[in-house]
Amino acid sequence: MGTENETVFTLDQAIERLGLTRAQVYRQMKDGGIKATKVDGGPRFSEKDLLALEEVLKKKQTDLAEALDRWLATLGERLTAGGVQELPEVADGTPEERTAEVVRRIILLGIVEGAADIHIDPLTKGSRLLWRRGGALKETGRLEPALSDPVKAGLKTSAGITDPEQTAATFVHSHNDHAYQIRLKVAPT
């Protein structure tokens, strides 16, 4: 693990220090985000490795916050131009609340712009957001890598998709006392 004097952390200590769940720490181990050594049947982590993961997690949080700011502003401008007047202010919301608002605004923008379908297609980095209008599929934006998975998950939840293998669904979204039927297609990643 390193030098004899290096501080070593147990799984519970790593969970507390990183602010992650047990499953998230194991996911980081599986995905190579942090190295662990098995001691007495349990994983142990060096302080150096925990510090490195903390930096990666901070960068991901910063990237997500910046992507949310950009998308909330862009969607707000496009919705206002499309005649939507009341949009909630979520600048001080949690990342989850702000992501949910991005998802809501994407659906609303699809309605305002006459989209019959909303498609999310994976790219090497991030995803493409596309509308189907008049039978043609047209790109309407690109989701940054930090925002791609949370938005896909939010759209799938809105569409009632609970099976990870399911890639498409039709759902109803209400706006201004009207119900709109929308189809969502998320290309498998």
Side-chain angles (χ1 to χ4, degrees):
M1 223 183 211
T3 66
E4 278 187 33
N5 295 335
E6 187 175 28
T7 304
V8 177
F9 294 83
T10 65
L11 177 60
D12 288 336
Q13 291 169 326
I15 288 168
E16 184 175 333
R17 179 168 174 164
L18 296 169
L20 300 176
T21 65
R22 183 174 299 274
Q24 289 170 324
V25 171
Y26 276 112
R27 169 69 70 178
Q28 288 293 333
M29 290 167 51
K30 180 182 175 210
D31 293 347
I34 189 167
K35 294 181 225 162
T37 304
K38 205 167 200 177
V39 177
D40 296 329
R44 299 293 186 268
F45 309 92
S46 72
E47 184 168 28
K48 180 180 117 189
D49 289 339
L50 288 178
L51 285 169
L53 181 56
E54 284 175 328
E55 289 303 313
V56 168
L57 295 174
K58 282 181 194 172
K59 176 150 179 26
K60 283 183 179 183
Q61 287 176 337
T62 300
D63 291 350
L64 177 60
E66 290 172 356
L68 285 166
D69 288 344
R70 278 190 297 278
W71 271 85
L72 285 167
T74 299
L75 291 166
E77 290 167 8
R78 288 175 68 180
L79 286 165
T80 301
V84 176
Q85 297 178 5
E86 292 186 32
L87 294 172
E89 181 56 49
V90 291
D92 296 328
T94 66
E96 292 79 13
E97 291 167 338
R98 297 174 75 221
T99 301
E101 181 58 19
V102 166
V103 167
R104 190 183 80 74
R105 288 182 186 190
I106 286 171
I107 294 168
L108 188 54
L109 186 61
I111 291 168
V112 167
E113 293 187 351
D117 296 357
I118 298 172
H119 289 247
I120 305 282
D121 287 340
L123 299 170
T124 304
K125 291 187 176 188
S127 298
R128 290 187 316 156
L129 178 64
L130 304 109
W131 298 157
R132 181 176 307 281
R133 291 190 325 212
L137 203 56
K138 182 180 177 202
E139 184 173 317
T140 191
R142 290 189 178 218
L143 297 166
E144 295 95 325
L147 195 53
S148 184
D149 285 342
V151 166
K152 281 192 282 189
L155 284 168
K156 287 174 90 170
T157 299
S158 294
I161 297 174
T162 56
D163 178 358
E165 300 300 316
Q166 185 180 355
T167 60
T170 300
F171 65 105
V172 175
H173 183 81
S174 297
H175 175 66
N176 287 347
D177 298 324
H178 291 87
Y180 297 89
Q181 184 172 331
I182 301 172
R183 287 180 300 278
L184 172 70
K185 176 147 179 25
V186 179
T189 54

